[in-house]
Structure formats: C-alpha cells, structure tokens
Amino acid sequence: MSGISRRKFLKAGLVGGAAATLGMSCKAWGAGSFEGYPEGMGVLVDLTRCVGCRSCEAACNKEQKLPEPDRPFDDLSVFEEKGEDGTTLRRPDEGHLTVVNKYTPEGSKKPVYRKVQCNHCNEPACLTSCFVNAYTKTKEGAVIYNPKICVGCRNCMIACPFNVPGYSYSSVLNPVVKKCIFCYDTRLKYGKPPACVETCPQEVMTFGHRKDLIKIGHERIKETADRYVDHIYGEDELGGTGWMYLAGVDFEKVGFDTTVGKDPIISNVKEFLGTVPMVLAIWPALFSGFHLLAKRKAHGGHTDSQEDHDHENL
Amino acid sequence: MRTKRILIAAFLATGLLATATVSRSQEIPDVIMLNSLASLYEPVRFDHARHIKVMRDCGACHHHTIGAPSDDRNCGRCHQSMEPKPAVACRQCHAANPFTAEYLKATHEDKNRYHRDKPGLKAAYHLSCTGCHEKGSGPTGCTDCHERTDAGNQFYRSGKYAPAAKTVKHH
C-alpha cells in the first residue's frame, strides 16, 4: 500500500515538476519582448559628420560638473593616447562620461571620429545585473542610477556589452559607478536635449523620439546612399539602444562590436531565472521523495516497511 | 581690445543693414555677419560676394529658394519649379534651437512632414561651410572663420583657463 502511494507521489511530483518547468519558461519568454517605452527619446549619432573637435566632451564636463581635465578640450593630442596594452582607445571613466576617439580605417579618405558614452539600452544589462536595483530605465529613455543605493560592486561594469560604466576609484570611502545619464536630471526630464547634443557644431547628434530617429536614419541612408553603410547600429542590437549610429564605413572598423546580436543580455539568463522559483518549490518535495524511496530500497523487508509507515505518519 | 570691440560693433551694424536690405529689396548683400549664435566664438564675417565669385552656384547653399537649380537632387523631387522664395537667409528656415520640445512634438505628431530632419542653424552653417571647404581649398579650422571668445576659452579650458595640474604632476 505504502509503496504504491509513494510511486504515485513520485509520478505526480515528476509530472508536476515538468509542467511547472514548461509553464515557468513560457512565462519567462512571454515577458521578454520589451522594446523600450513608446515615447522614449534617443539620439542618432551620424559619424560621417563628426570632425573630432571634442566640444561634446567639454559640454559634458561643464553640465555634469566633472573635475578639471588634464588637458584642454581643444587639445587633439588625446587621440594619440593609448591604453596600457598600447592598442585600446580611450573609454569613459569617472572624470569623462563621454570621450571621442579617432579611427583611420582602411579605404577611408579621412579619419573617422566616434563619440563614446552610454547607449541607453532598451533593456540594459547594467540594470539586469544590479542586485540592489540602483538602475532605472526612465520613460524618457535614460538609463540612470542612484549613487546612494549603489554599493560599488561593479557588476554593471562587467555586464555592460559596451564597456561603458566607469568607477570612482578616486573615492576611498564611497566608490560608486559613474556613467552618462543622458543629462536626465538637468535636461532630459524637462524635454531638453543633452548638453553634448546642443553644443555640437556639426549636429552629429540628432535628438528626438527614438522611433522618429529610426525613420530619419533610414531616410538619410536612402537619400544619400553613397555616404552611408546601410545599417543603423543600435536599432536592433541587443534589443535596441536609445543612442544609435550611422556610419560611412563598416561599423567594426570604427570600434563597434558587431557580434552582439539582437537579443538583449537579459535573454541569456531569463530562461534560467524563470526556473528558479520552480526549483525552490518543487525540488525539496521531490528529493524528500527520492530520499524516502532510496532509504526503503536500501533496507527492504517487513520490519523496515513498518518503520516507513511510522515515517509517513509523522 | 577696444578697437576690436568697435570693429565688431561695426560688423554687427553692417550685418543688420545687410539682412535688412536683402529682405526688403531683393538685393544681394556683399558681406553678411553671422552673429545670431555667437557665444563661444565671435560672429563670422561672411564674405558673400567672394563666395558668389568663387562658387558661381547659388543653389549649393540656398537649395531651391532663390530660383537657381539646387545641387541636391532630393529637393527637385518636390520643388520642381525652383521659383524664388521670400525666405532666403539660412536662419529663416534653420532654427537656432532645433530640438525644442515643441518642435519635436510637432514633427513627431505630423507623420506626413517631409522636412523632419532639418539641421539647426549652427549645423546648417557648419555642415554647409566645412563640407564645401573640405572639398575645395577653404579653411576648416575653428578659428579660421571665428575667433574664440573668453567664454569659449573657459568652456574648452583653454588659453588662460588651461589646466595646470598636468605639468605639476610631471615634476
């Protein structure tokens, strides 16, 4: 009698577990198609227009009240700066939330300049990775963070596929993450474009509704096809980014990672994370069952079955 | 410094006169002071006459607005007649603040608007001028066309506002 009920229990457990797994994973995938807030803003960066004047860096420094730079912002020798390994270019850090880098791609008559800052992903990996929920994707499209909540774990720095967040290493007592916030506090919140966009003499950056910018980008490609590569970087990459790019040369030649794919980073973990509640709920019961079964088989005989009865009655 | 100020004032005056004349009597100004945006840089004294002489192609800058055919084939798709328009100055079409919430709302809601990707005034100047200067032999450096102001030096942390920390560090 007791054996049959145990078998039934195990069967039910397995079937239930499988159903739960399927149910959970379906639910997880169902939540995976967030394409950004419909009225979210963005910036279309046209690399073919940039002349490398670094005005955007100066504007960012002023707007975000960043520390005094090592060199004036009209000093173009920074383009020759290389990282410790001699090849990497400048990247944003605690004192520079945006930097301009220079590329001399093969086949291009003139150098190509590229501004680097947070791309304000629709589904940000930094936000996904943050275990204290310091990050927020605002309805205006900015990815901001609360430095008061940030514990300085730097998970977001590892998670970011664009290598964007910097870290205030200079702060001994309270080091936190530092990155471009789309001028959210001082401008975006009030419907104004970020400081870099406003100061750029060439209008390299076009500020607008993300959906409109995608149309504008494709229009530019269509109307001046000889000027552009037929692709908007960030339209689909990693689930779409708020900042998107047009270029006149292949994107990988000017430092873009073209292998990132279209799925947001969270899709890599969503299925797994969806099974966690199931594991927590089902596995204790399931393994208790296995344990009891194993224990019964190991002993066998009537006396043990009596013991099992006692066990079950508990 | 004082003479420079007087000169600037004189330029401003001629600029105002020039724009006034052009809108009233369709005369072509010889010199135009591009001064409406000046803050980090001084106004630009634009030698219109010289550009006409060198370019001989008004449509290259004025698109389809002055009766000459435009260099941009995209204009011709709609503006077939190319007849002169009342507005011919850059700033009459290109907004000084191109990304105001009102403008973005208007272009966002008006799905049929074609000119939704119109550069602002600053970009119209720079894209048009440097775009052409790069192809030809015109100057392309920032201060080739306009001197930087004191506010500009402060903004770029340049000149007397240049950071001293770097040299101190090396010692």
Side-chain angles (χ1 to χ4, degrees):
Chain A
M1 265 304 270
S2 66
I4 292 163
S5 71
R6 195 171 289 120
R7 195 169 300 139
K8 266 185 186 165
F9 159 74
L10 284 173
K11 251 189 210 166
L14 282 172
V15 171
T21 317
L22 285 171
M24 290 287 184
S25 57
C26 285
K27 204 174 151 195
W29 281 114
S33 58
F34 180 67
E35 287 169 2
Y37 290 103
E39 295 301 298
M41 306 301 280
V43 171
L44 181 67
V45 186
D46 189 332
L47 300 192
T48 67
R49 289 183 180 182
C50 184
V51 293
C53 71
R54 300 185 65 212
S55 299
C56 49
E57 291 188 42
C60 180
N61 181 283
K62 189 181 173 195
E63 181 76 17
Q64 297 299 327
K65 301 184 174 65
L66 298 172
E68 185 179 60
D70 288 344
R71 285 186 252 184
F73 286 109
D74 57 0
D75 184 344
L76 303 184
S77 66
V78 293
F79 295 137
E80 311 310 323
E81 255 177 40
K82 295 283 184 290
E84 281 170 9
D85 59 357
T87 52
T88 48
L89 297 169
R90 298 194 302 152
R91 51 157 293 198
D93 59 31
E94 60 174 308
H96 313 79
L97 306 186
T98 184
V99 292
V100 179
N101 282 326
K102 181 186 180 180
Y103 295 85
T104 40
E106 264 177 62
S108 177
K109 281 176 208 145
K110 46 182 191 175
V112 179
Y113 298 94
R114 177 192 160 205
K115 179 185 182 294
V116 185
Q117 77 299 307
C118 174
N119 287 325
H120 299 276
C121 301
N122 288 346
E123 288 206 62
C126 54
L127 183 151
T128 308
S129 73
C130 182
F131 69 89
V132 291
N133 245 352
Y135 279 93
T136 309
K137 172 79 177 173
T138 75
K139 67 178 186 342
E140 296 88 350
V143 177
I144 59 169
Y145 59 98
N146 186 344
K148 286 179 187 151
I149 297 177
C150 175
V151 293
C153 75
R154 292 180 281 166
N155 270 355
C156 53
M157 295 175 71
I158 297 161
C160 176
F162 303 114
N163 204 14
V164 161
Y167 193 64
S168 53
Y169 288 105
S170 64
S171 169
V172 178
L173 293 176
N174 186 27
V176 292
V177 151
K178 293 276 277 179
K179 74 161 197 79
C180 158
I181 55 163
F182 213 144
C183 287
Y184 180 77
D185 295 340
T186 50
R187 290 164 161 273
L188 188 68
K189 199 159 69 174
Y190 306 107
K192 285 159 71 181
C196 52
V197 169
E198 202 167 88
T199 212
C200 178
Q202 295 275 98
E203 213 166 288
V204 169
M205 293 157 276
T206 304
F207 173 71
H209 291 89
R210 186 177 182 272
K211 286 186 174 169
D212 293 342
L213 293 176
I214 293 168
K215 285 182 203 152
I216 286 174
H218 285 296
E219 280 286 305
R220 270 190 214 171
I221 293 169
K222 196 173 101 189
E223 295 198 342
T224 40
D226 51 343
R227 194 181 170 100
Y228 298 105
V229 169
D230 187 9
H231 183 69
I232 302 176
Y233 189 94
E235 181 182 356
D236 298 318
E237 274 79 3
L238 294 165
T241 55
W243 283 56
M244 297 167 287
Y245 302 83
L246 289 173
V249 296
D250 291 336
F251 282 95
E252 60 266 24
K253 287 183 183 168
V254 285
F256 286 90
D257 186 350
T258 51
T259 63
V260 289
K262 291 185 175 185
D263 288 327
I265 298 289
I266 194 173
S267 298
N268 298 329
V269 293
K270 213 175 242 179
E271 196 178 14
F272 163 72
L273 289 177
T275 63
V276 169
M278 183 276 290
V279 169
L280 291 178
I282 307 292
W283 281 23
L286 193 64
F287 286 113
S288 300
F290 281 142
H291 169 72
L292 293 176
L293 190 68
K295 212 178 156 195
R296 180 173 171 267
K297 272 190 178 165
H299 294 283
H302 286 284
T303 43
D304 288 336
S305 114
Q306 183 58 43
E307 209 180 333
D308 275 357
H309 265 293
D310 294 341
H311 219 77
E312 275 172 9
N313 292 336
L314 279 175
Chain B
M1 197 61 200
R2 206 178 151 196
T3 43
K4 201 175 171 189
R5 271 203 198 129
I6 293 169
L7 266 176
I8 291 166
F11 282 142
L12 288 177
T14 34
L16 285 174
L17 278 175
T19 40
T21 352
V22 84
S23 57
R24 294 243 171 85
S25 68
Q26 298 289 311
E27 272 179 32
I28 299 163
D30 285 340
V31 172
I32 303 168
M33 287 307 291
L34 310 175
N35 53 23
S36 62
L37 299 172
S39 69
L40 303 179
Y41 290 88
E42 304 282 3
V44 172
R45 182 185 178 279
F46 179 68
D47 192 338
H48 196 209
R50 190 170 165 215
H51 280 84
I52 295 170
K53 217 174 184 177
V54 175
M55 292 288 295
R56 294 172 180 279
D57 176 11
C58 302
C61 295
H62 287 283
H63 316 303
H64 55 85
T65 60
I66 41 140
S70 170
D71 283 15
D72 189 342
R73 63 185 172 83
N74 290 309
C75 295
R77 286 195 278 135
C78 302
H79 302 282
Q80 280 158 358
S81 72
M82 300 280 182
E83 72 216 14
K85 299 284 185 299
V88 292
C90 306
R91 62 183 164 75
Q92 285 170 303
C93 288
H94 296 276
N97 296 309
F99 302 120
T100 60
E102 298 75 42
Y103 178 77
L104 290 179
K105 191 169 183 281
T107 50
H108 182 60
E109 283 168 6
D110 181 2
K111 303 290 177 206
N112 293 323
R113 183 191 287 240
Y114 173 77
H115 289 291
R116 62 170 66 234
D117 184 21
K118 188 167 63 181
L121 185 57
K122 184 163 55 177
Y125 288 144
H126 285 109
L127 290 173
S128 197
C129 296
T130 50
C132 201
H133 285 189
E134 273 177 353
K135 281 183 219 153
S137 53
T140 51
C142 305
T143 51
D144 294 342
C145 293
H146 42 30
E147 286 298 323
R148 194 182 287 156
T149 60
D150 190 57
N153 279 331
Q154 211 169 344
F155 178 78
Y156 287 98
R157 310 279 183 126
S158 189
K160 66 175 175 181
Y161 302 99
K166 188 78 178 178
T167 46
V168 172
K169 263 186 210 166
H170 278 298
H171 284 291

